[in-house]
Amino acid sequence: MKNKVLENSLQQAIKVYSNADGASLYVADKIAQIIKRKQELGDFAILGLATGSTPKGVYKELVRLHQNEGLSFQNVVTFNLDEYYPMHPVEEQSYVTFMRQNLFNHLDIPAHQIHIPDGTLSLEGIQAYCDLYEQKIKDFGGLDMQLLGIGRSGHIGFNEPGSLKDSMTRLVNLNDITREDASDDFGGKDRVPTQAITMGIQTIMQAKQIFLLALSERKAAIIQQALRGEISAEVPATFLQQLEHVEYILDQKAASLL
Ligand code: F6R
C-alpha cells in the first residue's frame, strides 16, 4: 500500500488528453514558456530532448511557434538523451539525423548550442566523453527541462531495466524489446545496434522539470507499471515517482490501464 501523500501528488502529476495532439501542444507550450522566461532574464534555456515517435508532435508545434509566431531559439542550448553506438551522424537512423529533420533544421538555434552524444567514438574514449557531457550540462547550470518518452521495456533515455538510480551518462546495452521496437527503422532487428550512449537516471532526475510524454495503447501497460508499480530498477521509469517536479502527459489510450 502506497503512502497517501505520495499517491495524491502522483495523481496531480498526471495529465490525460483525449488525443496525442492535445498532449503534444501542452508540452510544446510549457517548453515555449521556459524559453521566453529565460529570454526575459537574458539567460540560456537548457533543454534536454528526446527522439522517437513520441516527441514528433511537440517538435512540430515548436517549429510552428518559431515560423509563425516568431519564437526565437537563439538562447536555447540542447542536450539530447541518447544516441545509438556505433552510429555515424549522417546515417538515416542516427538521432542526429532525426533531430535535424524534426527540429533543428527549422529553427534559428546556433549549431554550437546543440549537443547529441557522439556515436563515432572509439570504445576507449567513451567514458571520458560521457563525463565531459555531464560536465557541460553542469557548466550551463543544469537542465531546465527534460523531455522523455518511455520504452516498452520501461526505459527512459536508454536506461534499460537494471539501470541504477545514480547512473550517469555512459555506454549501455540495449534490451531485446527496445531492439525489437527499432527493427523497422533499421530493416530488421539484427541490424539494430546492440549498444547506445545515454544520459543516466541521475542525469535525468537532476533536471529542474521533467515531462514524460506517452501516446497510444502500445504504452498503456508500461505506463501502468511506471506510475503504479513498485519503485525498482526493473522498471527504470518508476524512479521518477520519487520526484515532485515530474509531469506525466498522456493521451487517453496510454492512460487506459491507470
Ligand atoms: C529516445 C529515448 C527513448 C524513447 C523511447 C520511446 O531519445 O530516449 O527512451 O523515448 O524508446 O520511443 P518512441 O517514442 O519511439 O515510442
Side-chain angles (χ1 to χ4, degrees):
M1 189 58 160
K2 284 222 176 96
N3 169 314
K4 260 225 140 19
V5 178
L6 269 182
E7 258 305 315
N8 288 341
S9 65
L10 181 61
Q11 203 53 45
Q12 280 171 21
I14 303 172
K15 294 204 162 53
V16 182
Y17 284 84
S18 58
N19 58 39
D21 282 352
S24 301
L25 292 186
Y26 173 82
V27 175
D29 180 59
K30 286 280 183 179
I31 295 173
Q33 283 178 32
I34 295 171
I35 296 171
K36 286 183 201 159
R37 193 177 71 233
K38 291 291 186 150
Q39 280 166 358
E40 282 163 21
L41 297 169
D43 244 350
F44 285 119
I46 318 300
L47 308 182
L49 299 179
T51 58
S53 58
T54 308
K56 281 186 179 175
V58 175
Y59 296 156
K60 200 171 151 204
E61 173 63 5
L62 289 175
V63 170
R64 192 195 68 77
L65 288 172
H66 172 64
Q67 293 180 341
N68 299 354
E69 296 190 25
L71 177 66
S72 171
F73 284 72
Q74 283 188 6
N75 71 320
V76 170
V77 174
T78 63
F79 287 90
N80 262 79
L81 279 167
D82 41 21
E83 176 61 285
Y84 291 109
Y85 181 82
M87 179 56 72
H88 200 280
V90 300
E91 282 182 51
E92 202 187 316
Q93 300 91 348
S94 83
Y95 285 170
V96 173
T97 300
F98 176 96
M99 290 307 299
R100 284 186 182 147
Q101 288 178 347
N102 288 283
L103 191 65
F104 297 144
N105 283 355
H106 315 286
L107 304 178
D108 60 344
I109 180 170
H112 66 272
Q113 286 165 211
I114 293 170
H115 306 86
I116 302 179
D118 181 355
T120 70
L121 298 167
S122 68
L123 264 182
E124 311 77 66
I126 290 182
Q127 197 46 56
Y129 173 85
C130 291
D131 295 346
L132 194 62
Y133 203 75
E134 291 282 340
Q135 191 55 50
K136 279 188 188 158
I137 295 173
K138 284 205 180 82
D139 290 347
F140 277 108
L143 300 168
D144 292 308
M145 180 290 308
Q146 177 64 59
L147 175 58
L148 297 174
I150 183 168
R152 288 191 308 130
S153 65
H155 71 213
I156 46 175
F158 272 140
N159 294 284
E160 299 285 23
S163 296
L164 300 178
K165 192 180 160 189
D166 62 359
S167 55
M168 309 293 276
T169 304
R170 69 204 187 287
L171 182 68
V172 294
N173 294 324
L174 293 178
N175 177 287
D176 215 49
I177 304 174
T178 299
R179 293 185 63 237
E180 183 73 52
D181 282 351
S183 63
D184 279 355
D185 292 340
F186 284 85
K189 185 175 161 193
D190 48 352
R191 290 177 158 172
V192 180
T194 56
Q195 292 186 298
I197 296 174
T198 182
M199 284 186 196
I201 303 275
Q202 184 166 313
T203 328
I204 292 169
M205 288 177 74
Q206 281 171 346
K208 294 175 190 118
Q209 252 182 302
I210 298 174
F211 299 110
L212 188 150
L213 181 62
L215 308 172
S216 90
E217 61 281 354
R218 288 181 64 249
K219 300 294 169 70
I222 195 63
I223 280 295
Q224 198 271 341
Q225 282 186 55
L227 275 67
R228 302 276 181 230
E230 289 303 316
I231 297 170
S232 138
E234 285 319 296
V235 182
T238 56
F239 288 125
L240 301 176
Q241 290 179 27
Q242 296 167 320
L243 300 179
E244 296 263 318
H245 55 288
V246 183
E247 285 182 47
Y248 302 91
I249 301 100
L250 314 173
D251 67 4
Q252 237 157 29
K253 292 175 179 167
S256 59
L257 298 177
L258 287 178

